[in-house]
Amino acid sequence: MASTRRFYPSDLSDAEWVLLEPLIPAPKPGGRPAKVPRREIVNAIPYVLKNGI
């Protein structure tokens, strides 16, 4: 499946993600399946902070 997502300067590099990924909690078992990858959620944080939205 090809991604149609835009890439932003605030997105994490692969090297940054390798450092942060172990710190992000995994989804709890038995819940609703995740619709958004954890990396995309983490990418949204600096975007929102930088753009004040």
Side-chain angles (χ1 to χ4, degrees):
M1 181 171 124
S3 175
T4 58
R5 180 192 175 281
R6 286 181 61 183
F7 292 96
Y8 296 95
S10 60
D11 284 354
L12 296 172
S13 68
D14 289 339
E16 292 169 327
W17 180 242
V18 167
L19 294 173
L20 286 176
E21 185 176 19
L23 304 173
I24 308 298
K28 294 182 179 180
R32 186 181 308 181
K35 291 185 178 180
V36 179
R38 295 280 196 249
R39 185 172 181 168
E40 293 304 317
I41 295 168
V42 174
N43 276 337
I45 295 169
Y47 179 84
V48 169
L49 290 173
K50 181 180 178 187
N51 294 297
I53 57 171

